[in-house]
Amino acid sequence: MSFDSITPAQLRDVGSVKWSLFPGKTPAFVAEMDFGIAPPITQALHDAVDNGAFGYLPPATDLALREAFTGWAADRYDWQVDPDDVKQISDVIQAFQVAIEHFSEPGSAIVLPTPAYMPFLTVPAVMNRRIIQVPMLRTETGWEYDLDALDRAFADGGGMLILCNPHNPIGRVLRRDEMAAIGEVVERRGARVFSDEIHAPLVYADQRHVPYASVNEVNAGHTLTATSASKAFNLPGLKAAQVVLSNDADRKYWSDNARALHFEASNLGVVANTAAYTGGGAWLAEVLEYLDGNRRLLGELVAEHLPGVRYTAPEGTYLGWLDCSALELPGSPAEFFADSADVVPTDGALCGDGNAHAVRFNFATPRPIMEQAIRAMGEAVRAR
């Protein structure tokens, strides 16, 4: 596939949110990729449409997805999952709402390491839950969880930790020993973990994704895992995700409350996720190789055109976190770049307290587009 040859005009013709929301500007905000869809997914969707598969989710289609995911998990993550432990749901945010309502202590606070994915800061408030933000520690080489601060947050009434791995927006891929240490803190405080692993397939060759619940029995005993093929295969609009159970207590609760926890993902979303897990590997490998080049090139472009901006190449995802503190821009860097460079990143202020100086930049785009965007951002800073 020749990703470099994809043009802004072609992307605008597709009509995605990413390329239609801000006409005339280069979008780098919402987590959509610009590389099309894996052919096996497209074919599976055409077949489903031709068959008129628009009724309620058939048991056979449901089972095919659950078995496809367990095969993917075993091959990619060495995680042995029973298909009966895989539950259909529309998306990871719905899974997050279910985790709060059904799998955390009523009234307990949500512990959120920051910077964080934006809805993790808004959903708990809608559900009348307090959020305890725990800033991650920035080191010379990357980011680390602050275990002492997590412990204090649980002591302050925290009942559920949101663990995002690979992390959105900073791109960390957690090591097994890190997750074991986090699990010790959670278990000591009698808390729960909601593990968002939606970006799990998007891990670069120098890293490996390890599901949090697979680390040991302690972690499995307090975790609800949510994932989907949507980010890695560009399928968010099809509304299909998976909740993975990993302990007997949660299995019993889900079974005993089957009516309240009966969710059905979109038929076409289930078909697309199944095709991704069973036939999308070759396409994803090519995309990851291209993204690997993009994450490295982004560092070079930032150093050349935005000197002073702090960037650590992510270990997973296609999101770059750009700390613009040194630029001393007036107001929001995101607004400055949108107004002065016609480039629209995500405002870091939406990712938690103390992050208003940063932006999240989506680099899942053709390199000529990314180069033009960073160059324009640099020119805007110099012109100021």
Side-chain angles (χ1 to χ4, degrees):
M1 291 175 283
S2 180
F3 297 134
D4 282 352
S5 66
I6 299 171
T7 67
Q10 290 172 320
L11 293 167
R12 290 190 181 96
D13 285 345
V14 173
S16 66
V17 166
K18 182 179 180 183
W19 281 93
S20 63
L21 196 59
F22 297 100
K25 299 183 185 294
T26 301
F29 63 109
V30 69
E32 293 181 356
M33 294 197 293
D34 294 335
F35 308 134
I37 305 299
I41 298 175
T42 301
Q43 185 60 56
L45 289 171
H46 277 295
D47 291 344
V49 170
D50 290 343
N51 290 334
F54 307 134
Y56 293 109
L57 184 65
T61 305
D62 171 60
L63 178 61
L65 180 280
R66 292 188 284 113
E67 291 180 338
F69 173 78
T70 58
W72 177 274
D75 292 343
R76 297 281 174 142
Y77 317 135
D78 196 25
W79 189 24
Q80 307 304 316
V81 177
D82 188 321
D84 287 343
D85 287 339
V86 181
K87 308 300 180 182
Q88 303 278 8
I89 203 159
S90 66
D91 56 38
V92 166
I93 293 304
Q94 185 183 55
F96 180 40
Q97 293 170 320
V98 169
I100 292 174
E101 181 177 355
H102 292 275
F103 294 90
S104 70
E105 287 296 321
S108 62
I110 304 302
V111 179
L112 178 62
T114 56
Y117 175 49
M118 298 78 73
F120 289 152
L121 287 147
T122 57
V123 170
V126 173
M127 300 180 71
N128 296 314
R129 293 296 186 94
R130 179 167 61 102
I131 300 173
I132 303 175
Q133 296 188 36
V134 179
M136 297 187 73
L137 298 175
R138 187 74 185 263
T139 69
E140 289 301 316
T141 57
W143 301 80
E144 303 288 341
Y145 277 74
D146 187 335
L147 297 182
D148 291 337
L150 287 180
D151 188 68
R152 291 192 296 270
F154 290 125
D156 185 33
M160 174 170 280
L161 169 68
I162 303 172
L163 185 126
C164 189
N165 180 40
H167 192 280
N168 173 4
I170 61 176
R172 268 303 317 276
V173 174
L174 291 174
R175 302 185 307 270
R176 184 180 295 273
D177 63 312
E178 290 179 291
M179 290 184 282
I182 292 169
E184 289 178 3
V185 176
V186 173
E187 190 71 11
R188 183 169 64 248
R189 293 294 184 176
R192 297 297 309 260
V193 166
F194 173 76
S195 188
D196 168 15
E197 302 185 14
I198 196 171
H199 290 276
L202 294 164
V203 170
Y204 298 105
D206 53 351
Q207 300 290 329
R208 181 187 174 111
H209 175 70
V210 177
Y212 177 85
S214 75
V215 169
N216 53 41
E217 289 300 318
V218 169
N219 287 21
H222 59 230
T223 302
L224 203 70
T225 303
T227 191
S228 174
S230 63
K231 292 303 178 187
F233 295 93
N234 216 34
L235 308 170
L238 287 176
K239 292 300 176 186
Q242 299 84 48
V243 171
V244 185
L245 308 180
S246 54
N247 61 75
D248 288 340
D250 289 352
R251 294 181 185 107
K252 184 177 187 307
Y253 184 91
W254 202 287
S255 177
D256 290 348
N257 296 274
R259 185 178 295 275
L261 295 170
H262 179 71
F263 304 101
E264 286 190 357
S266 147
N267 278 19
L268 295 183
V270 171
V271 167
N273 272 240
T274 303
Y277 291 137
T278 57
W283 179 89
L284 179 63
E286 191 167 352
V287 169
L288 273 171
E289 183 178 359
Y290 191 83
L291 288 172
D292 191 10
N294 276 15
R295 67 169 178 149
R296 299 175 190 278
L297 177 60
L298 180 57
E300 297 171 8
L301 292 170
V302 167
E304 178 182 357
H305 298 286
L306 293 167
V309 168
R310 194 173 183 184
Y311 163 75
T312 301
E315 298 165 337
T317 81
Y318 47 76
L319 304 168
W321 185 253
L322 306 182
D323 182 339
C324 303
S325 302
L327 300 182
E328 298 182 347
L329 296 173
S332 161
E335 292 180 3
F336 173 82
F337 290 128
D339 294 339
S340 302
D342 287 336
V343 177
V344 187
T346 298
D347 191 340
L350 301 176
C351 299
D353 296 341
N355 293 294
H357 56 276
V359 299
R360 189 188 77 167
F361 186 93
N362 177 352
F363 57 81
T365 196
R367 282 177 197 149
I369 295 175
M370 182 175 72
E371 291 170 354
Q372 184 277 329
I374 299 298
R375 187 178 302 111
M377 291 163 70
E379 290 172 354
V381 171
R382 289 190 295 274
R384 175 181 170 273

